[in-house]
Amino acid sequence: MSSHEHPLGISFEFFPPNTEAGREKLLGVRDALAERKPRFFSVTYGAGGSTQARTAQTVRTVRECGIETAPHLSCIGSDKGALRELLQQYREEGIRSLVALRGDLPSGMGGIGELRYANELVEFIRQETGDHFNIAVAGYPESHPQAPSFERDLGNFARKAQAGANLAITQYFFNADAYFHFVERATRLGVEVPIIPGIMPITNYTKLARFSDACGADIPRWIRKQLEAYGDDSESIQAFGEDVVSRLCQRLLDGGAPGLHFYTLNQAQATLRILDNLA
Ligand code: FAD
């Protein structure tokens, strides 16, 4: 880590905007967040290749400010030839970091492709490009929704570290103990890479509830009930969300989390307010 980076080791995630207005807004968001000296930005990737070009394009624009920007890359539905080309392209553009995922197959899409799981993707990237890329992988403190058990999922997480990942970023959660438990168990299995908690600022209850059901993140009852009670009162939702998520972040850092990765949803304000609340 160089001296101009944030001592907390923070990072910010964006998605590729699909309108001109969205693209312009993202640049403002990036600039506001760049002032906090993140270690890196990352840009998500639609599985099945739907937004591969847009991810690459967004990465190009975001990294113009000089902050390292990692494209997310998923293997499901792709063949090795296409992945090889994409890796080559990222390499030629001077990109040094990737977030390597299996991804999810959109319904109605064809076969799963040649690489079935993220550990196989990490292995493939290492085979093809040696140590060129810093590779981050996903971790699930509350278990991946398709995992048959916590133990099996943890074992599969460890495979990704063994395959050569440098870093893990977790799915978001609102229960700090789930994170500490996950880190402890992963460490016992020999995982040594930093496991950075993924943080979802709370700004909109309906979207959060829909998203959490899909990705298997638990919204604790006391948070759900309170957010539900606010109804359309978005000011109260935001104030409560800021308080809850700031306390979560503080607990994580106090408990030894090696950084924070924010799912910004291309918005700066909620993330900035949380950062301002941290000691
Ligand atoms: P894997 O690690 O491959 O795990 C998937 C499932 O398979 C788990 O249930 C696991 O237990 C099991 N498994 C893993 N390896 C094996 C094995 N070798 N044998 C048998 N079973 C195995 N999705 C996107 O589409 N685009 C994105 O940009 C994106 N970014 C994300 C960023 C982060 C930080 C996180 C946490 C998630 C992100 N996702 C993204 C969601 C992710 O693609 C989904 O959660 C997906 O279902 C799993 O991807 P994975 O890389 O965790 O898969």
Side-chain angles (χ1 to χ4, degrees):
M1 190 174 104
S2 64
S3 57
H4 62 275
E5 285 172 335
H6 196 290
L8 283 180
I10 51 172
S11 49
F12 302 117
E13 182 172 311
F14 303 128
F15 62 84
N18 51 20
T19 62
E20 193 46 45
R23 276 187 282 280
E24 264 170 44
K25 183 183 162 210
L26 178 58
L27 292 185
V29 168
R30 175 206 62 186
D31 290 345
L33 293 173
E35 283 182 20
R36 302 304 173 107
K37 310 272 184 270
R39 263 190 200 163
F40 64 92
F41 291 127
S42 82
V43 179
T44 60
Y45 176 88
S50 56
T51 68
Q52 176 192 313
R54 283 205 281 130
T55 299
Q57 182 53 48
T58 306
V59 166
R60 251 173 246 134
T61 323
V62 167
R63 68 196 283 266
E64 277 167 3
C65 69
I67 291 174
E68 179 165 355
T69 305
H72 292 210
L73 178 77
S74 66
C75 60
I76 201 160
S78 294
D79 61 49
K80 288 183 180 175
L83 287 166
R84 190 175 286 122
E85 252 176 58
L86 190 58
L87 291 172
Q88 182 61 22
Q89 176 197 324
Y90 284 145
R91 215 170 136 142
E92 281 167 10
E93 292 184 26
I95 286 160
R96 302 301 303 241
S97 301
L98 298 172
V99 181
L101 303 147
R102 182 196 71 173
D104 293 306
L105 208 54
S107 51
M109 287 285 296
I112 57 169
E114 289 179 83
L115 302 171
R116 288 166 310 158
Y117 297 107
N119 66 298
E120 296 172 11
L121 176 60
V122 174
E123 232 164 74
F124 179 73
I125 298 170
R126 287 287 176 239
Q127 272 164 17
E128 293 289 319
T129 61
D131 284 337
H132 177 82
F133 291 108
N134 253 309
I135 305 176
V137 292
Y140 300 85
E142 297 177 326
S143 275
H144 183 264
Q146 290 156 3
S149 70
F150 178 84
E151 305 288 336
R152 294 270 287 277
D153 201 38
L154 190 70
N156 291 328
F157 173 70
R159 287 176 202 245
K160 298 193 271 195
Q162 282 152 14
N166 304 95
L167 179 78
I169 301 170
T170 75
Q171 183 57 276
Y172 68 87
F173 54 86
F174 297 106
N175 178 353
D177 288 328
Y179 169 80
F180 292 127
H181 172 251
F182 181 74
V183 171
E184 192 188 314
R185 297 292 302 276
T187 307
R188 263 197 257 158
L189 273 187
V191 174
E192 289 176 352
V193 300
I195 301 174
I196 312 283
I199 304 297
M200 179 67 87
I202 299 175
T203 54
N204 176 315
Y205 175 59
T206 318
K207 278 192 198 156
L208 180 73
R210 194 176 340 118
F211 208 49
S212 301
D213 286 344
C215 70
D218 183 45
I219 308 178
R221 186 177 163 83
W222 64 276
I223 297 181
R224 196 179 273 272
K225 290 303 257 185
Q226 203 139 328
L227 288 171
E228 273 169 7
Y230 290 130
D232 293 336
D233 178 359
S234 66
E235 225 169 85
S236 297
I237 291 176
Q238 282 172 26
F240 175 70
E242 179 187 330
D243 184 49
V244 166
V245 179
S246 301
R247 283 170 198 263
L248 171 69
C249 291
Q250 193 65 58
R251 249 201 94 194
L252 292 167
L253 294 171
D254 291 347
L260 299 169
H261 178 83
F262 287 89
Y263 297 106
T264 70
L265 302 179
N266 294 6
Q267 317 258 3
Q269 286 318 312
T271 296
L272 290 172
R273 281 198 296 265
I274 293 166
L275 286 171
D276 286 341
N277 290 335
L278 299 180

